[in-house]
Amino acid sequence: MAEDMTIIHNLIIRILNTVYLQCVNVEKSPDDIPDFVSYAIEWARMVEEHHHTEEETVFPQIERLAGVPGLMQANVAQHEAFHDGLHAYMGYLEKVHKSDEAYSGERLRSIIDSFMPTLRQHLSDEIDTLLKLGDYDRDWEAWFEKLVKELLAKRGDPNLKTTTIPLLLTNRDTTFEDGIYAWWPPLPWFVPLMMRWFLIPAHKNWWRFSSCDDRGAPKELPFA
């Protein structure tokens, strides 16, 4: 469980790094700004959904299984600590997306600077919390496997297949740590093919800004 969450947290950081490293230089290419803004927005939507799922489903189940009410409250408090910064990030990009405000890479970078240290600390602390669940004699792996199936069954938004999932797949570095995490996500062999052929191309211009290609191989960032 902690291993899966570590991979997801690394993805959150890696994707935001691609936004941070390219947000200033992309301003020199006005035709590319709309795609970049859409890409950056998808990161925020993914993080918001991730934390909403944790607070509404994952954390309450952990507390019930451990038998310790409030066990995950510190993690919820950390979500709240960077909420304003994440809201400012999303609000600014949505205004740019609607042409209500001009794009400024320096402004976007300053917004990221305002909340990234807190977010980074939270992502690290949460892994420590999950590792400490081993102190409770519960079958956490069986619970996590069941949880994942439940969450996947609830995914009713068809847009996730052409937005969030491609965002993750084009930023998962399969060469990281000599490829020991190349198995993630654990999918049947034909699913990645379907993704590459049909789903990732739906917004292929967005994934130009990703850190990897559609096979998980690292690539140069076009505006870094």
Side-chain angles (χ1 to χ4, degrees), residues 100-126:
D100 291 338
E101 195 162 338
Y103 177 79
S104 166
E106 290 293 348
R107 180 172 179 187
L108 180 57
R109 179 172 283 184
S110 69
I111 293 173
I112 296 172
D113 284 334
S114 73
F115 69 83
M116 188 56 200
T118 306
L119 173 59
R120 175 65 182 82
Q121 188 61 51
H122 159 68
L123 296 175
S124 177
D125 290 348
E126 190 170 279

Side-chain angles (χ1 to χ4, degrees), residues 113-199:
D113 284 334
S114 73
F115 69 83
M116 188 56 200
T118 306
L119 173 59
R120 175 65 182 82
Q121 188 61 51
H122 159 68
L123 296 175
S124 177
D125 290 348
E126 190 170 279
I127 299 303
D128 289 339
T129 301
L130 295 177
L131 289 173
K132 290 177 182 177
L133 293 179
D135 295 342
Y136 302 91
D137 187 17
R138 307 290 189 273
D139 191 345
W140 293 108
E141 292 303 321
W143 164 78
F144 185 69
E145 184 177 346
K146 180 181 178 182
L147 173 70
V148 170
K149 291 179 180 178
E150 291 177 356
L151 293 177
L152 290 175
K154 291 180 180 178
R155 298 298 186 191
D157 184 358
N159 291 326
L160 292 176
K161 295 179 180 179
T162 57
T163 55
T164 300
I165 294 176
L167 176 69
L168 294 172
L169 291 180
T170 58
N171 281 286
R172 64 181 190 106
D173 182 355
T174 57
T175 69
F176 179 67
E177 296 285 355
D178 295 324
I180 62 173
Y181 300 114
W183 56 268
W184 193 93
L187 299 169
W189 67 269
F190 59 87
V191 174
L193 290 178
M194 297 291 288
M195 294 289 180
R196 290 200 296 270
W197 292 346
F198 302 110
L199 302 180

Side-chain angles (χ1 to χ4, degrees), residues 44-60:
R45 288 176 176 166
M46 182 263 293
V47 172
E48 287 180 341
E49 174 64 21
H50 175 69
H51 288 153
H52 175 76
T53 300
E54 286 184 331
E55 293 179 13
E56 295 298 317
T57 304
V58 181
F59 291 171

Side-chain angles (χ1 to χ4, degrees), residues 47-114:
V47 172
E48 287 180 341
E49 174 64 21
H50 175 69
H51 288 153
H52 175 76
T53 300
E54 286 184 331
E55 293 179 13
E56 295 298 317
T57 304
V58 181
F59 291 171
Q61 287 193 23
I62 288 176
E63 292 181 354
R64 285 196 296 270
L65 187 56
V68 183
L71 178 63
M72 305 301 292
Q73 187 55 43
N75 297 95
V76 175
Q78 286 186 329
H79 287 179
E80 296 171 354
F82 60 79
H83 176 269
D84 288 348
L86 188 60
H87 182 74
Y89 173 98
M90 190 66 159
Y92 171 64
L93 288 174
E94 286 183 335
K95 287 181 180 179
V96 173
H97 183 68
K98 296 175 183 177
S99 300
D100 291 338
E101 195 162 338
Y103 177 79
S104 166
E106 290 293 348
R107 180 172 179 187
L108 180 57
R109 179 172 283 184
S110 69
I111 293 173
I112 296 172
D113 284 334
S114 73

